[in-house]
């Protein structure tokens, strides 16, 4: 088998050299339309969204992302708007209440209600922000399902719901220290004292 040398690569024209030199590193790997800043919601326009924006002004922002509609609501408006969504808009089922922790933000928690309307066959979310240590009104009087959901948010994030009939942990022991879904709670972290006293071992890992 003969091995012939590769033919010489012809030099690029001057204009092509300039274009290649100005191209940012890694640009070839970027996908068209890729957003380096993460998902960006769009304004949500609908009769429901307009109704609450007109009623509450800057206290309500209506947004949508990938077909998921949600209202970002000032904390002080939460009880009123949740009740109106049930009574006026027929969101009669509270599917979930959860939170997201942003430890570097002034108001560290997004509290999120996932709602569903059987009559409308429609889902919607309501979000509000609260500071670490702040509380938020319970919605157990609006949806009975909120009882255990609020207990889980309290257990995992330490968020307190004013007016809850029996706010205590639901997954972890009542005397457990810490709230595992906070981002400042390490993934392998645990209450070593509780594990040692109650299980008689050094670590549950």
């Amino acid at each position: 088998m003969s091995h012939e040398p590769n033919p010489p690569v012809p030099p690029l024209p001057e204009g092509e050299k300039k274009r290649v030199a100005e191209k940012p590193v890694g640009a070839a790997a970027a996908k068209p339309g890729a957003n380096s800043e993460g998902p960006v919601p769009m304004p949500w326009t609908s009769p429901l969204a307009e109704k609450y924006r007109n009623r509450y002004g800057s206290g309500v922002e209506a947004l949508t992302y990938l077909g998921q509609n949600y209202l970002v609501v000032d904390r002080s408006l939460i009880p009123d708007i949740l009740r109106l969504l049930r009574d006026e808009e027929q969101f009669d089922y509270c599917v979930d209440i959860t939170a997201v922790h942003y430890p570097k933000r002034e108001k560290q928690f997004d509290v999120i209600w996932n709602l569903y309307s059987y009559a409308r066959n429609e889902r919607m979310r309501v979000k509000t922000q609260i500071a670490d240590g702040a509380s938020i009104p319970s919605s157990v009087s609006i949806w009975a399902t909120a009882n255990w959901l609020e207990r889980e948010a309290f257990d995992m994030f330490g968020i307190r719901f004013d007016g809850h009939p029996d706010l205590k942990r639901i997954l972890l022991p009542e005397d457990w220290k810490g709230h595992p879904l906070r981002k400042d709670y390490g993934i392998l972290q645990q209450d070593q004292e509780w594990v040692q006293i109650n299980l008689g071992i050094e670590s549950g890992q």
Side-chain angles (χ1 to χ4, degrees):
M1 181 182 293
S2 62
H3 295 278
E4 297 181 359
N6 292 326
V9 178
L12 290 171
E14 287 302 318
E16 187 68 9
K17 286 181 182 178
K18 183 174 185 296
R19 187 187 68 80
V20 172
E22 291 175 349
K23 189 174 183 179
V25 175
K31 295 181 180 179
N35 184 353
S36 61
E37 297 180 357
V40 178
M42 302 295 291
W44 169 37
T45 301
S46 73
L48 185 152
E50 291 304 311
K51 173 182 177 180
Y52 287 93
R53 273 202 299 254
N54 291 337
R55 186 179 296 185
Y56 293 103
S58 61
V60 174
E61 185 179 12
L63 299 171
T64 188
Y65 179 69
L66 294 180
Q68 299 181 48
N69 303 324
Y70 60 99
L71 298 177
V72 181
V73 177
D74 185 87
R75 182 250 182 231
S76 64
L77 300 176
I78 279 296
D80 291 343
I81 287 183
L82 292 180
R83 193 172 296 277
L84 288 172
L85 287 172
R86 184 198 66 179
D87 295 345
E88 295 185 358
E89 315 303 335
Q90 297 178 293
F91 284 95
D92 42 10
Y93 179 33
C94 181
V95 180
D96 194 16
I97 300 172
T98 187
V100 185
H101 186 210
Y102 299 93
K104 295 182 179 179
R105 204 172 66 184
E106 182 181 357
K107 292 184 177 180
Q108 292 190 17
F109 293 99
D110 280 358
V111 184
I112 305 159
W113 292 259
N114 291 321
L115 308 179
Y116 179 72
S117 168
Y118 286 99
R120 302 162 69 110
N121 188 25
E122 183 178 338
R123 296 180 184 272
M124 189 174 66
R125 297 178 180 177
V126 177
K127 295 184 181 183
T128 195
Q129 293 184 3
I130 63 170
D132 187 15
S135 61
I136 196 160
S138 171
S139 54
V140 171
S141 64
I142 305 174
W143 301 283
T145 53
N147 190 319
W148 284 15
L149 301 174
E150 290 178 356
R151 285 179 58 190
E152 184 178 10
F154 167 68
D155 196 356
M156 295 291 104
F157 294 95
I159 296 169
R160 303 197 66 86
F161 294 85
D162 295 334
H164 188 285
D166 187 23
L167 190 63
K168 60 183 180 182
R169 291 187 184 270
I170 192 170
L171 299 173
L172 290 170
E174 185 64 21
D175 53 350
W176 187 274
K177 296 183 180 69
H179 304 281
L181 288 188
R182 288 178 177 241
K183 290 182 180 173
D184 52 9
Y185 192 100
I187 192 168
L188 297 179
Q189 183 180 340
Q190 57 186 287
D191 185 349
Q192 297 282 9
E193 182 182 4
W194 189 95
V195 170
Q196 189 170 14
I197 292 172
N198 292 275
L199 301 182
I201 58 178
E202 292 298 321
S203 173
Q205 297 296 332

